[in-house]
Amino acid sequence: MSTQRQLFFQHLAQTSFSPIGLEIVKAKGNYQYDINGKKYFDLISGFNVANIGHSHPAVIEAVKKQAEDYMHLIVYGEFIQSPQTLYAQLLTKHLPASLDCVYFTNSGAEATEGALKLAKRATTRTNIIAFNKSYHGSTQGALSLMGDEFYRNSFRPLLPCIYHFNYNSDDVLDAINEDTACVILETVQAESGIIVPEKKWIKVLRDKCTEQGTLLIFDEIQAGFGRTGTLWAFEQFDVTPDILLLGKALGGGMPLGAFMANKNLMQSLSFNPVLGHITTFGGHPVSCAAGKAAFEILLSENYIKDIAEKEKLFVEKLRHSSIKKINHFGLWFSLQFKSAEATQKIIHQCIKNGLITDWFLFAPDCLRIAPPLTITEGEINTVCAIILKSIEEIN
Ligand code: PLP
C-alpha cells in the first residue's frame, strides 16, 4: 500500500466501503493522471464540474491573481468585493430579467438551504413540494427534499411539511395550494438517470405555482452551464423559475454555489430578521474569480453550439446488445445495463481501461457519462470504443 493510500483509509472519513480509490496527482484538460503516470479520460467531469476541462489556464490565472490581491476578507454580504459583483453581473446578463440577484454560497446544498429559507420567509407559508428520486444535496434540509427513503430514513426526524410526488405526474398539481411555499425540482432529474420533464407538464406546473403564489425553484446545479445544449436547461421548456439553484461548474473547479431570484424577493432575507442567511465563506473571492473566468471561456469558445452534434455521435457509437436503454439530454447520458452488478463491473473495467465513470444514486444499474463540453469528435470515438471494449471484456 502506498503511504497516501494508507493515510486515506486511516485518517479520512469514508463514505462507503468501496471508494474508487484512484490516487490522482494531476488533472489537466479532459484528463486525470494517477501516481503511476496512467492517463484517464474524465468521462464525468468530476461530477459535472469540469465543464471546460480541468485547470484551464485562464482559470489558473484568475485564481493566482485573486489570491495575490486578497482571499477571505469578511462574512458574505458586508464588503464590496469585485469578484462577486462582476460575476453576478455576468450571470444576470445571461439570465431572464426576473433573475437579477445572486446569493453566492459555498456549495450546491447550501444554495438549496438558502432557497428553501427564502421561499418560507417570502411567502410566510410552511409547505414544500419536492419529487421522488430527486437530489438537492446532503445537508438536513436538502436531504429532507431527497426523494428516496433508503438514503434519508436513518437521519429522521427531517424537516416537516415536505410532500413528495412523482416527477412528470399531474398528481402534484392538485397539491399546490395557498399553504405551499415552494415547489422544488431539478429541471432535468440527474440521479434517477437523466429524466427530462415533459414540456406540457412543466408549463402547467409553472402556471399552477403562479396562480397559487407558490415559488417555483429549479435546481440546475448539475444541469447548468451548457451541458444540456443551452446555457440553462429551463430555456428548452419555455418556463422561468422564481428561484434558480447553481453549483458545481459555477466555480470553474473551485467551491461555489448560488441561489438566484428577483431582487425584490431576495430582499426579504435582509429584514425580519436581518441576516436571513449567513455564510462565512459563501462567494469566496477566489471561487468567484475562477468561476467567472470559466464562464467567459465557455461563452467565448462557444462550446455550447456543438453539443447537439456531439450528443448525436455518442448515441450513434454506443450501440451494444448489453445496453438496454440510453437516456440522454445534451452531453449527459445514462446507459442502462441488466443489473446494478453488471453496471459496477463495466464501470470498474472502464476505469481499468483509462476512463473515469460512475453510476447514478437512484439508478445503480446505469452508467454515467457527462464529459467536459470540450470533448472532441476524436475523443468521443475513443471513449465510446473503450466503453464497448469494457462491456465485451466483462461478458
Ligand atoms: N443538486 C443537485 C442536482 C446535485 O446534483 C447536487 C450534487 O450532486 C447538489 C444539489 C448538491 O451540491 P453539493 O454537492 O455542492 O452540495
Side-chain angles (χ1 to χ4, degrees), residues 254-271:
M254 295 290 285
L256 190 64
F259 55 104
M260 303 196 54
N262 186 264
K263 180 78 184 162
N264 288 336
L265 181 58
M266 201 70 98
Q267 204 69 27
S268 55
L269 287 179
S270 59
F271 65 98

Side-chain angles (χ1 to χ4, degrees), residues 14-35:
Q14 301 297 314
T15 54
S16 83
F17 289 118
S18 51
I20 301 172
L22 289 179
E23 191 175 334
I24 298 296
V25 293
K26 192 175 172 64
K28 192 83 194 150
N30 299 343
Y31 297 89
Q32 298 193 25
Y33 302 83
D34 77 9
I35 187 158

Side-chain angles (χ1 to χ4, degrees), residues 5-271:
R5 182 167 293 273
Q6 230 166 3
L7 294 175
F8 173 77
F9 284 107
Q10 197 176 345
H11 294 300
L12 286 181
Q14 301 297 314
T15 54
S16 83
F17 289 118
S18 51
I20 301 172
L22 289 179
E23 191 175 334
I24 298 296
V25 293
K26 192 175 172 64
K28 192 83 194 150
N30 299 343
Y31 297 89
Q32 298 193 25
Y33 302 83
D34 77 9
I35 187 158
N36 302 311
K38 185 170 169 182
K39 183 176 172 181
Y40 298 83
F41 188 92
D42 188 350
L43 198 57
I44 54 174
S45 308
F47 280 87
N48 297 43
V49 170
N51 279 15
I52 59 156
H54 293 272
S55 297
H56 191 286
V59 176
I60 294 175
E61 196 46 45
V63 167
K64 278 187 183 163
K65 180 175 181 319
Q66 188 53 47
E68 274 171 11
D69 288 350
Y70 59 86
M71 293 192 271
H72 175 77
L73 297 179
I74 193 169
V75 293
Y76 178 85
E78 294 297 332
F79 285 4
I80 298 155
Q81 303 181 45
S82 65
Q84 293 176 349
T85 51
L86 295 176
Y87 197 14
Q89 182 190 36
L90 183 63
L91 286 166
T92 53
K93 191 175 140 202
H94 291 277
L95 278 160
S98 58
L99 295 170
D100 62 352
C101 187
V102 190
Y103 193 123
F104 284 117
T105 61
N106 290 284
S107 65
E110 192 195 358
T112 302
E113 300 290 341
L116 294 185
K117 287 169 68 184
L118 176 60
K120 284 178 163 177
R121 163 66 185 87
T123 63
T124 67
R125 299 177 181 183
T126 52
N127 294 359
I128 293 169
I129 287 179
F131 291 89
N132 294 323
K133 297 190 179 180
S134 60
Y135 184 79
H136 300 287
S138 198
T139 50
Q140 288 269 315
L143 185 67
S144 308
L145 301 171
M146 185 196 265
D148 187 279
E149 195 54 18
F150 174 79
Y151 287 107
R152 70 183 174 207
N153 192 33
S154 296
F155 303 102
R156 289 188 181 283
L158 294 167
L159 281 189
C161 307
I162 297 186
Y163 304 92
H164 288 90
F165 290 86
N166 286 334
Y167 197 78
N168 268 334
S169 158
D170 286 344
D171 293 353
V172 65
L173 301 173
D174 288 337
I176 302 169
N177 58 35
E178 66 280 2
D179 295 324
T180 316
C182 62
V183 173
I184 178 165
L185 65 150
E186 292 162 84
T187 319
V188 176
Q189 271 203 331
E191 295 306 318
S192 48
I194 321 293
I195 306 298
V196 180
E198 282 160 24
K199 205 165 178 176
K200 194 166 151 240
W201 177 73
I202 205 162
K203 279 184 139 181
V204 177
L205 192 63
R206 169 69 277 181
D207 291 346
K208 185 74 191 204
C209 286
T210 306
E211 179 196 303
Q212 294 295 327
T214 296
L215 297 174
L216 182 63
I217 305 176
F218 284 173
D219 178 342
E220 298 218 358
I221 288 168
Q222 210 171 136
F225 296 91
R227 178 154 304 282
T228 61
T230 45
L231 190 51
W232 318 111
F234 68 78
E235 290 174 63
Q236 300 186 42
F237 304 98
D238 299 329
V239 285
T240 303
D242 299 300
I243 304 176
L244 178 67
L245 308 186
L246 299 175
K248 291 192 180 278
L250 177 71
M254 295 290 285
L256 190 64
F259 55 104
M260 303 196 54
N262 186 264
K263 180 78 184 162
N264 288 336
L265 181 58
M266 201 70 98
Q267 204 69 27
S268 55
L269 287 179
S270 59
F271 65 98

Side-chain angles (χ1 to χ4, degrees), residues 355-371:
L355 214 53
I356 297 174
T357 178
D358 211 347
W359 46 286
F360 292 90
L361 203 55
F362 312 127
D365 55 346
C366 295
L367 180 141
R368 180 190 294 264
I369 299 178

Side-chain angles (χ1 to χ4, degrees), residues 264-322:
N264 288 336
L265 181 58
M266 201 70 98
Q267 204 69 27
S268 55
L269 287 179
S270 59
F271 65 98
N272 198 19
V274 64
L275 304 172
H277 186 71
I278 302 174
T279 177
T280 299
F281 286 123
H284 193 283
V286 178
S287 298
C288 285
K292 176 170 168 284
F295 193 62
E296 283 167 345
I297 293 292
L298 178 76
L299 298 176
S300 65
E301 298 292 327
N302 213 354
Y303 290 119
I304 299 173
K305 82 169 184 343
D306 299 328
I307 303 261
E309 269 308 299
K310 291 177 179 177
E311 177 183 10
K312 211 168 112 206
L313 186 57
F314 260 106
V315 175
E316 268 168 31
K317 295 283 166 187
L318 288 172
R319 296 233 168 95
H320 192 283
S321 57
S322 295

